[in-house]
Amino acid sequence: MVLALDGRVAVVTGGAGGIGRAAVERLAAEGARIVLGDVDTDRGQAVADGLGDAATFVETDVTDVEQVEALVTTAVDHFGGIDVLVNVAGVSGGLRRFLDDDLRDFERVMAVDLFGVMACSRVAARRMVEQGRGGTIVNIGSGGGITPGVGMLPYRAAKAGVAHFTRCLAVELGEHGIRANCIAPANIATEINAAFDKAAVTRLQPLAHQGHTGDVVEAVLYLAGDRSAHVTGVVLDVDGGMAVGTPPRP
């Protein structure tokens, strides 16, 4: 059996849990060697240990450029390069409605969710250009950055920035054979949105299906590999159709 990412090296931020961990495990299963970064050292190391020689962990705060440099350098030194970057690390901030929001979460949300994606993409892209063999960057955005809604406005604004940044990145990096795409999940059962009423939320989407991390990482695998070789600058909704419209329900 031919593995989709056999021999390639992937760096995944936020790899200790949720979508990040699922992405690490799925990409490794398809032959990739993984360097995962996270601020949660215990869980991150445990994920890497579970994959044996195929993975290594680096404690990484994506808002710290020096730590981002160390993360990517580890991929180069340990595995010989970087072919795939998956930017998953993110925080949601408070659930407050805008008029009640003192915006105390704004700087942290923007730093992790938007600046972190930009910083990691820049460091990884520079390495990819040096290698001269192209590469692919997959950014995890959010349906909250695509479809307007109430509450969590700093988070929604940051994720909207990720989507537009990704499209711009695709234009910037195409000449180097580097592709950049964004995935916009919504209504996915993870720790970050555990407070939401899943039954109520899924009534807002055409497909009456509770999304899970596996739905997202299949999209990551597609965009990371050669099956999407002619795809760049795309924002792919993985949301049960929520961005399309709200269906009638009894």
Side-chain angles (χ1 to χ4, degrees), residues 233-250:
V234 164
V235 178
L236 176 60
D237 298 318
V238 181
D239 62 356
M242 185 173 176
V244 178
T246 302
R249 292 285 190 230

Side-chain angles (χ1 to χ4, degrees), residues 26-68:
R26 186 72 179 93
L27 298 184
E30 287 293 336
R33 291 165 294 173
I34 309 290
V35 178
L36 61 131
D38 206 291
V39 293
D40 190 332
T41 56
D42 291 339
R43 293 176 68 190
Q45 190 62 60
V47 173
D49 290 345
L51 295 172
D53 293 339
T56 190
F57 170 74
V58 180
E59 181 180 0
T60 309
D61 180 344
V62 296
T63 69
D64 186 320
V65 175
E66 291 186 357
Q67 292 188 33
V68 171

Side-chain angles (χ1 to χ4, degrees), residues 11-249:
V11 171
V12 181
T13 70
I19 292 171
R21 176 173 183 166
V24 166
E25 294 173 343
R26 186 72 179 93
L27 298 184
E30 287 293 336
R33 291 165 294 173
I34 309 290
V35 178
L36 61 131
D38 206 291
V39 293
D40 190 332
T41 56
D42 291 339
R43 293 176 68 190
Q45 190 62 60
V47 173
D49 290 345
L51 295 172
D53 293 339
T56 190
F57 170 74
V58 180
E59 181 180 0
T60 309
D61 180 344
V62 296
T63 69
D64 186 320
V65 175
E66 291 186 357
Q67 292 188 33
V68 171
E69 290 274 7
L71 176 68
V72 175
T73 297
T74 298
V76 175
D77 292 345
H78 198 75
F79 290 126
I82 176 173
D83 303 292
V84 178
L85 169 68
V86 185
N87 282 308
V88 185
V91 293
S92 62
L95 304 178
R96 296 173 293 277
R97 294 288 299 275
F98 184 63
L99 296 181
D100 300 318
D101 195 341
D102 59 8
L103 301 180
R104 63 179 178 269
D105 298 322
F106 179 83
E107 290 186 359
R108 178 62 178 163
V109 170
M110 285 291 175
V112 176
D113 292 3
L114 182 54
F115 176 82
V117 169
M118 297 178 75
C120 291
S121 296
R122 186 188 65 171
V123 173
R126 284 176 170 174
R127 290 287 191 171
M128 291 174 180
V129 171
E130 290 173 3
Q131 293 169 173
R133 61 181 190 239
T136 183
I137 296 172
V138 181
N139 297 324
I140 303 299
S142 170
I146 305 299
T147 304
V150 300
M152 302 175 64
L153 264 64
Y155 173 81
R156 292 177 183 275
K159 290 299 188 177
V162 170
H164 193 61
F165 166 71
T166 303
R167 289 188 286 257
C168 294
L169 196 61
V171 177
E172 285 266 2
L173 300 180
E175 65 184 289
H176 302 289
I178 300 171
R179 299 184 293 110
N181 292 289
C182 177
I183 297 171
N187 308 337
I188 306 297
T190 62
E191 295 173 11
I192 200 171
N193 61 14
F196 292 108
D197 181 342
K198 301 300 190 298
V201 170
T202 53
R203 284 196 291 271
L204 301 176
Q205 62 190 41
L207 295 179
H209 163 70
Q210 173 60 64
H212 54 82
T213 56
D215 296 317
V216 181
V217 299
E218 288 301 320
V220 172
L221 179 61
Y222 166 69
L223 292 173
D226 291 339
R227 292 178 180 176
S228 60
H230 202 53
V231 178
T232 195
V234 164
V235 178
L236 176 60
D237 298 318
V238 181
D239 62 356
M242 185 173 176
V244 178
T246 302
R249 292 285 190 230

